[in-house]
Amino acid sequence: MPDMDRWPTGRLLSTAARLVEHSWNEKLGAIGLTHAGVIAMEVLSVQGPMTQAQLAQLVRVQAQTMGKTLSRLEAHGHISRERSASDRRSHVVTLTDRGREAVVAAADMERSVLAAASIDPDSLRHELQSVVRELANRMSTTEAAIVTAAEPTVPAEAN
């Protein structure tokens, strides 16, 4: 194991995030999901149907990247895409019932990944929320709005 006492906090944070994401992706694969797909579905769960371009903007990825994620979600029945009535060039993305069930299952899987660590997941969550809020406050108004709009709502029992 490397000498993490000498690592800067940013490296610790990014390494922990990658390890959690990798562990979570292993579990999510069993239900046809990826971390990226769950993020998109969480935004749809909170914000409701929206265009693919709007979703890409909220999740902070390129429209082409979002298109690939949505194709996978659609193939597994988690979302549906229909042409927009107001702009035939756009597709409106909607979370399906199966997608809503998958969002709940994914949250349970995430909790199980964090439960494997000998830490208090509620305290970690609270500290990470503080970091996100503080850093978001330093962003431009537009950037901060995107970050907070993409924030999924977590059921009270999961907090």
Side-chain angles (χ1 to χ4, degrees), residues 135-157:
L135 294 178
N137 284 337
R138 296 179 189 170
M139 294 179 172
S140 72
T141 305
T142 303
E143 289 174 321
I146 291 170
V147 169
T148 55
E151 217 174 271
T153 303
V154 178
E157 65 274 8

Side-chain angles (χ1 to χ4, degrees), residues 74-94:
E74 190 173 37
H76 285 91
H78 296 123
I79 59 112
S80 65
R81 290 189 277 190
E82 295 183 14
R83 290 236 180 253
S84 170
S86 61
D87 181 356
R88 302 297 293 166
R89 297 169 296 170
S90 298
H91 285 91
V92 175
V93 182
T94 305

Side-chain angles (χ1 to χ4, degrees), residues 59-79:
V59 176
R60 301 185 77 138
V61 298
Q62 297 294 318
Q64 183 179 2
T65 301
M66 182 55 67
K68 291 177 184 178
T69 299
L70 294 178
S71 291
R72 181 180 173 105
L73 291 173
E74 190 173 37
H76 285 91
H78 296 123
I79 59 112

